[in-house]
Amino acid sequence: MEFVLGTFCRIDLYGSENSQLYDRLFSRLAELERILSANRADSELSALNSTAALRAISVSPELRTVLERALFFAEASGGAFDPTVGPLVQLWGIGEKTPRIPSADEIQAALDMINWRDLELQADGGVFLRRPGMAVDVGAIAKGYAADELVKILREKKVPQALIDLGGNIYVWGAKKDNTPWRIGIQNPLDERGSYVGIVETQSISMVTSGVYERFFIGEDAVRYHHIFALSGTGTDKPGYPVNNGLLSVTVAAPSSMDADALSTTCFALGYEKGCALAEAAGVKAIFIFADKTIRGSAGALDTFTLIDTSFRIE
Ligand code: ADP
Ligand code: MG
């Protein structure tokens, strides 16, 4: 287990252990952190952000791939998912040492700098942030991309079976020796870590959860402020504030961990109805857990789900 990409990362190789392979996997993670981290001044992402409104820069294929996919989900979600959310993330500082509730003016100023349409991927490989103050943050998709990159190595090394856990961003790779399905627990968002609402039985796949319990702080007003932001004011949501739509978590299962990561955040931000429609259109499964302790799934998502905590109920 190591701390990379802002989280604890665990890789289990079930009998294929060898230190060279572990080193290769963890050095790939460290490499991706140097590219994608929003919290490191020396990352490639920080270099990109420092050029906002000044000039286009050419970026690594890794960053390019992540930005392309992020823009795909930005468009697909009508902007509920937006990789230019950086100014808002920095303003609130949720998960940092001194988070705080910003003033309405500060929030408006941050919102004014956020628009995925001003993140320009140029045909010659350049990336340009069109407006001053813009900042890209790929925290909602980077761990998924990293998990997929690790799976590439596992495939190349013909590792038959592995479990990757990048801070709750799970990839179960390959088939188990006795050919029984993998069993993955879905975190109880109201309870301590490692306590599960239920279990999903699955084949080789990624499962990623976005929830109110991952990174948050309790304000002086006793409200819990978590780290996924509403960018428009639909329903009970206020733009610039943490999403407030009755959801506690969304779990998405997909063969691409990058898609599962982006979609768990996107479905969380969109809420059940729109989120479900997007998951189904993308051909992936999503499980929604609500503050009233109900659980709903997109088409087929609950077929292999077994409830453990019976204080929750399936709708
Ligand atoms: P985790 O980091 O816990 O795995 P997520 O994948 O859901 O959780 O990503 C949350 C992160 O995504 C936030 O910390 C922030 O960096 C970023 N983010 C917050 N709101 C949005 C949004 N509306 N669109 C895109 N990214 C967001
Ligand atoms: Mg995500």
Side-chain angles (χ1 to χ4, degrees), residues 17-138:
E17 281 78 7
N18 75 66
S19 54
Q20 249 178 329
L21 182 53
Y22 274 120
D23 285 352
R24 170 132 183 241
L25 293 165
F26 278 106
S27 58
R28 182 66 178 140
L29 285 180
E31 197 170 33
L32 292 174
E33 179 182 278
R34 287 193 296 273
I35 296 173
L36 301 170
S37 173
N39 300 322
R40 290 177 60 146
D42 62 348
S43 71
E44 189 183 12
L45 189 77
S46 295
L48 168 64
N49 288 340
S50 71
T51 62
L54 297 175
R55 60 195 154 85
I57 60 167
S58 64
V59 301
S60 63
E62 287 91 341
L63 182 53
R64 177 87 185 187
T65 302
V66 170
L67 292 178
E68 271 169 5
R69 204 61 184 151
L71 286 178
F72 171 84
F73 287 110
E75 178 150 34
S77 67
F81 179 97
D82 191 323
T84 68
V85 71
L88 208 48
V89 174
Q90 289 160 18
L91 181 62
W92 282 80
I94 294 172
E96 303 300 313
K97 284 196 191 81
T98 50
R100 65 183 182 94
I101 306 167
S103 72
D105 286 350
E106 288 174 310
I107 287 180
Q108 192 51 53
L111 284 170
D112 289 344
M113 291 186 270
I114 298 172
N115 189 345
W116 58 274
R117 289 190 170 84
D118 290 321
L119 163 53
E120 188 182 317
L121 300 188
Q122 301 173 335
D124 65 359
V127 178
F128 184 47
L129 306 179
R130 288 199 191 105
R131 287 184 303 133
M134 277 183 81
V136 172
D137 179 312
V138 291

Side-chain angles (χ1 to χ4, degrees), residues 11-261:
I11 303 169
D12 207 327
L13 297 174
Y14 298 94
S16 313
E17 281 78 7
N18 75 66
S19 54
Q20 249 178 329
L21 182 53
Y22 274 120
D23 285 352
R24 170 132 183 241
L25 293 165
F26 278 106
S27 58
R28 182 66 178 140
L29 285 180
E31 197 170 33
L32 292 174
E33 179 182 278
R34 287 193 296 273
I35 296 173
L36 301 170
S37 173
N39 300 322
R40 290 177 60 146
D42 62 348
S43 71
E44 189 183 12
L45 189 77
S46 295
L48 168 64
N49 288 340
S50 71
T51 62
L54 297 175
R55 60 195 154 85
I57 60 167
S58 64
V59 301
S60 63
E62 287 91 341
L63 182 53
R64 177 87 185 187
T65 302
V66 170
L67 292 178
E68 271 169 5
R69 204 61 184 151
L71 286 178
F72 171 84
F73 287 110
E75 178 150 34
S77 67
F81 179 97
D82 191 323
T84 68
V85 71
L88 208 48
V89 174
Q90 289 160 18
L91 181 62
W92 282 80
I94 294 172
E96 303 300 313
K97 284 196 191 81
T98 50
R100 65 183 182 94
I101 306 167
S103 72
D105 286 350
E106 288 174 310
I107 287 180
Q108 192 51 53
L111 284 170
D112 289 344
M113 291 186 270
I114 298 172
N115 189 345
W116 58 274
R117 289 190 170 84
D118 290 321
L119 163 53
E120 188 182 317
L121 300 188
Q122 301 173 335
D124 65 359
V127 178
F128 184 47
L129 306 179
R130 288 199 191 105
R131 287 184 303 133
M134 277 183 81
V136 172
D137 179 312
V138 291
I141 183 169
K143 278 183 281 170
Y145 176 72
D148 289 337
E149 288 299 295
L150 297 186
V151 166
K152 273 193 197 163
I153 298 173
L154 299 176
R155 188 181 282 123
E156 175 200 316
K157 293 286 171 195
K158 301 200 167 52
V159 173
Q161 175 193 357
L163 176 118
I164 296 166
D165 180 353
L166 311 182
N169 198 309
I170 308 270
Y171 210 117
V172 288
W173 163 252
K176 296 215 288 185
K177 288 202 177 74
D178 57 3
N179 261 319
T180 55
W182 291 94
R183 291 162 53 83
I184 307 178
I186 296 186
Q187 173 65 37
N188 182 337
L190 300 173
D191 212 340
E192 64 195 50
R193 214 163 277 259
S195 125
Y196 301 123
V197 171
I199 302 272
V200 175
E201 291 203 338
T202 176
Q203 304 305 323
S204 190
I205 205 153
S206 178
M207 279 211 353
V208 180
T209 301
S210 286
V212 298
Y213 59 88
E214 272 302 335
R215 284 167 212 252
F216 65 90
F217 76 104
I218 310 286
E220 281 166 21
D221 49 3
V223 173
R224 174 196 278 251
Y225 294 94
H226 65 81
H227 69 150
I228 301 171
F229 295 104
L231 297 174
S232 69
T234 34
T236 47
D237 278 329
K238 263 166 78 176
Y241 286 80
V243 170
N244 175 32
N245 59 8
L247 276 169
L248 293 179
S249 74
V250 179
T251 301
V252 172
S256 156
S257 195
M258 175 157 68
D259 286 3
D261 193 2

